[in-house]
Each structure stands twice: as C-alpha cells, then as structure tokens.
C-alpha cells in the first residue's frame, strides 16, 4: 500500500528513462528484430495521447493510449502501431489499471505484440479492408491462449469481422461514428454470443451517449462525456476540509513554528493519522516509532509536507466523473513538469515545478478564479508568475503539461519545441507521469 507513497515523497525525481532503441525492451529482448516497414520516417513527430477509460460505476479502470502525428498519413499506421508498443513496453513502469491499445489488424504480426507479458494490456483491433478473416481468427486465438486479450471493432461490412469476432475477448464500437440503433444492436449481438465477451465503447462525446451505453450494458467507456459532466456544486462557504489543508500549506510555506503547524493539524485527524501512518510504515524502515505530530514534522520536513498536502487537496470522497478528470490532470501535469525539469533544469530543485502543476488546477478545484484561489498563499515568485501570468522559468514547462492534456498534436509539438524536447522523450515522461498519478490515487482511502 505504501509503495506509491514512498515514491511520492522521494527527495528528487528520477529523470524519465532514455528512449530504448526501436523494437527493444530494457527487460526483454525480442526474438526477432522489428520488420523494416515498421519504422517511422526520420523527423516525423508522433505524440502520445492518453485518455481515461471508465467502468459502469464511473470509476477509472485504465487508459487508452494512441500515438498521434501532426500530419495524418494512413500509410504509416503500422509504423505508428510499432512505435506505440515500443513506447509502452519500453517504459520503466506502465500505469496501474488496464492499458487499452488500438492497433490495425495488419500490426498483429509485429514482434512487439509477442513481447506483451502483462495481462493488463488489451489490444483493440481495427480491421484492414483486405483483412484475412481466417488468419486473423487464428492469430486472435493464439494470443488468447497466451493471455493477451484482444477486442475487435465493429465493422459488419468487412467479411473478416464475422469470422474473427468469436475469438475476441471484447466487442468494441466507435459511438461517435455509429447511430444509436447500431450501439444497441451490437450490444445485443455480443451478449447473445454467450462467450462471456465484454463490451468497449469509445468516442462517447455526450452524456446522452454515455447513458445509452450504460443502458445497453457496455463495460468500458471512453470519450469526452466525462469532461462535459456538470461540476460538483461547491459547498456553501467552501469545503472546510480543503480550506484546512490550504491553511496548513500557508503555515508550512510561511514562517510558522513547528508547534503551530502541529496544533493546526489536530483540527483534521485524518491528515494527522495519514502522516503518522506513513512515517511508521515498514516502507520507510525507521528504527523508532513516531508518536507525535511535532516529531513527525521534523522527520518529514517542510518540502515533503507541502507535497503531501498539495496532493491531498485533490482527494475527493466518493468522486464523480469530473472529479476523476481533475485529479488525473492535476497530478499528471505536476509529475510531468517535475520529470521534465529534472532533465532540462539540472541541479535545480524540482519541487517548485510540482507545485506549479498542481496549483495551475486549483481554480477548477475550488470553483474560484486562480488569483482568488491563490490569495494569501506564500508561493515562490516564479511559481506564482507561471500559474497566474504564464511567464517566468516554469511557464514553458507548464505549457507543455497543458498541451499534453489537450490531445492536440500540433499544440504538443509547438510546446515541446519551445523547450527543446523531442516527441519520444516527452512521450516517455508523460507515460511515467501517468503511471505515478494512477498509483498515488489507487492507494487513496
């Protein structure tokens, strides 16, 4: 339980691992090298986009990952599929939860597919116009025997679809490209197969479409519907729990004495309990038990306490769709800025970058303009300048983090160019940040 917390409070982040050569995994070498036609042309920028996937209870269960280029070229799909798998398999760690990977059916013979060892991976296969149904069914069956789950996108006009769908673990549909009757009929057909297949719906752009998919028993749901969910109403007078945490941050970052901070913490027993539990966990291996908040603050230090509090501010009891998106955005952009800062600003503390990322989302959390949300918060000048005015030494990295959340490849390319980042380095850092954010929220109670 404390593995994620231990990583959260490390003194400095490790830089994102250097890119592995194409087709190689640091932990496992492929039996055969990647085929020549699966290489991206030199200079082509392809950026990693990750989108949350929810279950029927509106809880996040994983992410759908794609590589998107600034100029669409259908002929490069196989190379993009190879590059996407190389990015995911070459990462030091992949995000907690399910990893949904869209691939063309022509890419199922790529060597990288045979290197997948995690049961968390689910391949979502889109049929090529000339797909061989019998060969595809055999390949899907072979992968299933090895524990690799595959979904097949609904393409009823493709002759291969009827031959291969029986070997797929999931039936998938693009809701944005389908009419409601097709969404309904596809669900009925898959559930009528009696093969315990699951249903995956992507491209759900509206809450009405989301409700339709719930009505027809879709298990996994992805799309912009979550962002259009109405925000949770702000409590009258503000959320007292969050107000207390913000006050603690003011004390920690100001000139308050340790005794004053410890006294303020007593007003939130949950925060005090979490700090003491963390410090006394086997993960830290302290030789003496910590029984007082004053002692805990000395051991923890103000920097790590600020980090702890900034993360806890975004914790929500019984979170809704919009809450999950806000939490993921805030923690991912904070960690991404920290990881990139370790590479681009060597020798400088990355804690201000983490706080810049977190505080840039504070207006959405508190339902206040940013200047009001940060009122009386004793932030460093560079952090305040980046968050409020988008200027100063942290502003460009904040622009990178915001661009990654936009799913807009041209915007990502321009932001990365401004700080001298190539697409591959940014992709690996984003994947590491996503994994960290997922692990931290997975251990919330």
């Amino acid at each position: 339980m404390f593995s994620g917390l231990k990583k959260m409070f490390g003194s400095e982040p490790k830089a994102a691992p250097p890119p592995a050569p194409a087709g190689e995994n640091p932990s496992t070498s492929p039996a055969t090298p990647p085929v020549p036609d699966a290489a991206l042309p030199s200079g082509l920028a392809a950026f990693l986009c990750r989108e949350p996937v929810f279950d029927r209870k509106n809880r996040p269960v994983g992410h759908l990952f794609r590589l998107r280029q600034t100029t669409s070229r259908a002929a490069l799909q196989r190379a993009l599929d190879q590059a996407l798998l190389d990015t995911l398999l070459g990462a030091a760690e992949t995000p907690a939860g399910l990893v949904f990977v869209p691939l063309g059916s022509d890419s199922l013979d790529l060597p990288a597919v045979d290197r997948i060892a995690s049961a968390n991976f689910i391949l979502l296969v889109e049929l090529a116009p000339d797909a061989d149904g019998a060969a595809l069914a055999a390949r899907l069956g072979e992968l299933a025997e090895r524990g690799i789950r595959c979904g097949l996108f609904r393409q009823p006009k493709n002759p291969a679809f009827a031959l291969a769908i029986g070997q797929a673990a999931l039936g998938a549909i693009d809701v944005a490209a389908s009419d409601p009757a097709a969404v309904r009929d596809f669900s009925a057909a898959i559930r009528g197969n009696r093969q315990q297949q699951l249903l995956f719906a992507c491209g759900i752009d509206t809450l009405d479409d989301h409700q339709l998919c719930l009505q027809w028993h879709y298990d996994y749901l992805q799309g912009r519907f979550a962002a259009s969910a109405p925000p949770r109403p702000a409590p009258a007078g503000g959320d007292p729990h969050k107000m207390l945490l913000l006050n603690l941050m003011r004390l920690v970052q100001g000139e308050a004495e340790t005794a004053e901070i410890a006294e303020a913490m007593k007003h939130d027993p949950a925060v005090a309990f979490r700090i003491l539990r963390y410090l006394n966990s086997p993960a830290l291996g302290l030789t003496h038990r910590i029984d007082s908040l004053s002692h805990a603050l000395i051991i923890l230090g103000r920097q790590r306490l600020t980090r702890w509090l900034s993360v806890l501010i975004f914790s929500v009891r019984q979170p809704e769709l919009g809450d999950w998106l806000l939490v993921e955005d805030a923690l991912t952009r904070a960690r991404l800025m920290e990881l990139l800062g370790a590479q681009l600003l060597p020798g400088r503390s990355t804690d201000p970058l983490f706080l810049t990322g977190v505080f840039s989302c504070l207006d959405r959390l508190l339902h206040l303009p940013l200047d009001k949300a940060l009122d009386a918060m004793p932030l460093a000048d560079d952090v305040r300048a980046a968050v409020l005015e988008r200027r100063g030494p942290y502003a460009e990295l904040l622009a990178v983090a915001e661009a990654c959340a936009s799913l807009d490849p041209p915007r990502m390319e321009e932001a990365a160019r401004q700080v001298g980042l190539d697409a591959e380095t940014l992709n690996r850092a984003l994947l590491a940040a996503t994994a960290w954010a997922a692990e931290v929220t997975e251990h919330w109670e």
Side-chain angles (χ1 to χ4, degrees):
M1 171 176 183
F2 292 99
S3 59
L5 300 179
K6 190 172 183 180
K7 292 177 183 178
M8 177 167 32
F9 293 112
S11 56
E12 290 291 336
K14 294 182 179 179
E24 292 185 14
N25 185 337
S27 57
T28 356
S29 297
T32 56
V35 289
D37 68 343
L40 286 172
S42 176
L44 179 67
F47 291 91
L48 185 68
C49 295
R50 85 278 185 268
E51 302 164 67
V53 177
F54 295 88
D55 65 10
R56 293 181 53 78
K57 296 182 179 179
N58 291 337
R59 297 173 303 192
V61 293
H63 292 82
L64 183 145
F65 292 93
R66 308 177 195 267
L67 276 184
R68 289 180 173 165
Q69 29 179 156
T70 52
T71 304
S72 178
R73 296 190 224 171
L76 294 176
Q77 189 57 55
R78 182 177 169 89
L80 286 167
D81 290 346
Q82 174 70 55
L84 175 59
L85 288 169
D86 284 343
T87 300
L88 296 172
L89 295 173
E93 53 185 319
T94 51
L98 299 175
V99 177
F100 294 89
V101 187
L103 296 177
S105 58
D106 288 344
S107 298
L108 286 179
D109 65 344
L110 289 171
V113 172
D114 291 315
R115 288 163 39 214
I116 296 173
S118 171
N120 288 354
F121 274 67
I122 298 180
L123 306 181
L124 300 175
V125 181
E126 185 165 0
L127 294 170
D130 58 350
D132 182 328
L136 177 60
R139 179 59 167 160
L140 293 179
E142 174 192 343
L143 293 172
E145 289 180 0
R146 292 177 42 215
I148 300 175
R149 289 181 287 174
C150 295
L152 191 62
F153 273 102
R154 175 186 179 272
Q155 292 169 265
K157 294 182 180 180
N158 190 312
F161 178 77
L163 292 172
I165 186 60
Q167 294 296 324
L170 295 88
I173 188 170
D174 183 348
V175 175
S178 308
D179 59 47
V183 174
R184 176 199 64 201
D185 294 345
F186 185 59
S187 170
I190 292 295
R191 290 185 295 118
N193 282 340
R194 298 183 180 179
Q195 294 181 348
Q196 296 184 330
Q197 290 170 304
L198 299 176
L199 285 159
F200 178 93
C202 68
I204 307 173
D205 290 337
T206 68
L207 291 175
D208 286 342
D209 284 342
H210 178 241
Q211 189 59 41
L212 175 69
C213 292
L214 291 178
Q215 179 184 347
W216 289 102
H217 309 285
Y218 282 81
D219 301 281
Y220 302 125
L221 307 108
Q222 177 274 326
R224 299 176 182 174
F225 68 93
S228 62
R232 181 191 297 268
D239 185 328
H241 175 69
K242 297 192 185 306
M243 295 301 108
L244 177 59
L245 290 172
L246 287 169
N247 182 56
L248 283 172
M249 290 194 69
R250 294 187 187 100
L251 294 175
V252 170
Q253 292 186 289
E255 302 298 325
E257 298 291 336
T258 298
E260 183 181 356
I261 299 172
E263 184 62 31
M265 280 189 177
K266 293 177 182 177
H267 295 286
D268 192 331
V271 171
F273 170 74
R274 288 182 178 186
I275 289 176
L276 291 174
R277 182 182 61 180
Y278 164 68
L279 289 175
N280 289 311
S281 71
L284 290 192
L286 298 181
T287 56
H288 300 289
R289 181 171 179 81
I290 308 299
D291 292 316
S292 74
L293 286 174
S294 295
H295 192 190
L297 293 178
I298 293 172
I299 296 295
L300 193 57
R302 296 200 177 206
Q303 270 193 346
R304 288 192 293 174
L305 179 57
T306 298
R307 186 185 183 93
W308 171 285
L309 294 171
S310 68
V311 170
L312 283 186
I313 285 173
F314 283 86
S315 63
V316 179
R317 295 182 177 90
Q318 298 179 331
E320 300 173 0
L321 282 171
D323 298 321
W324 284 119
L325 291 182
L326 174 57
V327 167
E328 174 171 272
D329 189 15
L331 298 187
T332 300
R333 73 166 63 179
R335 182 61 171 171
L336 177 62
M337 291 184 65
E338 188 177 37
L339 289 171
L340 294 177
Q343 298 181 67
L344 300 176
L345 303 171
R348 297 184 61 173
S349 171
T350 58
D351 286 302
L353 287 166
F354 185 91
L355 294 180
T356 298
V358 166
F359 285 133
S360 67
C361 298
L362 203 59
D363 55 335
R364 292 154 54 195
L365 178 74
L366 300 180
H367 306 286
L368 291 172
L370 262 178
D371 57 344
K372 297 293 185 183
L374 297 176
D375 188 36
M377 183 72 69
L379 295 176
D381 290 342
D382 287 339
V383 175
R384 186 175 293 275
V387 172
L388 294 179
E389 303 171 31
R390 296 303 191 268
R391 64 173 179 82
Y394 307 144
E396 289 184 335
L397 281 178
L398 178 57
V400 171
E402 290 175 327
C404 287
S406 73
L407 307 181
D408 182 347
R411 181 179 174 187
M412 295 171 72
E413 181 178 40
E414 175 59 21
R417 186 186 65 79
Q418 292 291 334
V419 296
L421 280 174
D422 60 78
E424 190 170 9
T425 301
L426 177 56
N427 291 344
R428 293 187 183 277
L430 178 60
L431 187 59
T434 303
W436 181 87
E439 185 170 11
V440 169
T441 55
E442 185 183 34
H443 294 293
W444 277 352
E445 292 183 356

